[in-house]
Amino acid sequence: MAEPFDPRHAARLDDPDRLDYQPVADVLGLLELRGDETVVDYGAGVGYTTVPLAAALPRGRVVAVDRSAELLDELCRRVTASAAGRAPAATAPVDLVHTTENRVPLPDAGADAILTVSVWHEIYDDQSALDELRRLLAPGGSLAIIDWAPVERPVGPPAARILTLEQALAVVASMGLTATVVRPAGTLFAYYYAIVARASGPLA
Ligand SMILES: C[S@@+](CC[C@H](N)C(=O)[O-])C[C@H]1O[C@@H](n2cnc3c(N)ncnc32)[C@H](O)[C@@H]1O
């Protein structure tokens, strides 16, 4: 069974080297945003991607979801501080959602895109979380998965706690999604694989 992230290790999410080995622009680039979408940042943590997402969605909305109230408290501080430094029209509203039973208060197909960064290895065997992501994703919408790969690296969880790219793709297929972008570790990111999977149907 997947091992949950321990909020006491939150400082690891702020590793300054991360900006080099996982540039946020490359993460967000996978979503090919127009700027008016509703994007769920699932397992947002303290917001490595949440605040940049809000800045990339001047006409959209971010729903930042986490099961850790402690991490969401810190994220709330960061979102508030970031919004204070910008013109209001330049930043999407960020709704913070504390999930206790994998329920996200959005309607069916309410997410144009869902981003999961370093989360897939924590939820791949949690069927109710996967069902909720599938419920949320709009027809034509994208689920982006960026997660640790079993390669030699100085950071991140041990290989026994993560998935291979093939295992991650099998979970995506079990959700009825089609992988349209597959980037093994060493191509886009040195330590992570990246997958973009689409729900069938017309793009909104
Ligand atoms: C390794 S952290 C990554 C945080 C953030 N995405 C980042 O890249 O900095 C994994 C996050 O996923 C959250 N998480 C794990 N399972 C979850 C679930 N079922 N629902 C919501 N959040 C979850 C954890 O609480 C933690 O904040």
Side-chain angles (χ1 to χ4, degrees):
M1 175 140 175
E3 214 172 300
F5 181 77
D6 184 342
R8 287 176 301 179
H9 297 147
R12 293 180 188 171
L13 305 177
D14 287 327
D15 175 3
D17 291 342
R18 196 173 167 189
L19 294 165
D20 294 323
Y21 62 73
Q22 190 188 60
V24 188
D26 291 345
V27 173
L28 300 193
L30 289 164
L31 294 174
E32 297 182 353
L33 296 170
R34 295 182 307 253
D36 61 353
E37 295 94 335
T38 295
V39 180
V40 172
D41 190 355
Y42 196 85
V46 295
Y48 181 69
T49 48
T50 312
V51 171
L53 251 183
L57 293 167
R59 301 173 306 286
R61 173 186 178 198
V62 179
V63 181
V65 176
D66 209 285
R67 67 178 174 194
S68 163
E70 196 178 328
L71 297 177
L72 279 177
D73 281 349
E74 176 56 22
L75 175 55
C76 184
R77 278 188 283 277
R78 295 184 187 195
V79 166
T80 306
S82 162
R86 291 175 192 268
T91 306
V94 178
D95 298 328
L96 301 178
V97 174
H98 179 219
T99 44
T100 48
E101 291 175 349
N102 294 323
R103 290 288 304 162
V104 178
L106 280 177
D108 293 357
D112 299 306
I114 301 174
L115 178 62
T116 71
V117 179
S118 305
V119 177
W120 209 240
H121 68 282
E122 296 191 28
I123 63 169
Y124 72 93
D125 59 353
D126 184 344
Q127 193 58 49
S128 72
L130 300 178
D131 289 347
E132 186 66 346
L133 293 181
R134 188 65 192 85
R135 183 189 73 77
L136 292 172
L137 195 59
S142 300
L143 166 67
I145 299 166
I146 297 99
D147 207 348
W148 297 103
V151 295
E152 203 171 313
R153 47 183 160 72
V155 286
R161 283 181 42 202
I162 60 174
L163 302 182
T164 63
L165 174 60
E166 291 69 27
Q167 289 169 324
L169 284 167
V171 179
V172 166
S174 78
M175 296 168 70
L177 301 175
T178 305
T180 55
V181 175
V182 179
R183 304 294 301 266
T187 58
L188 185 58
F189 305 111
Y191 307 146
Y192 305 84
Y193 59 78
I195 299 168
V196 179
R198 282 197 194 279
S200 59
L203 284 170

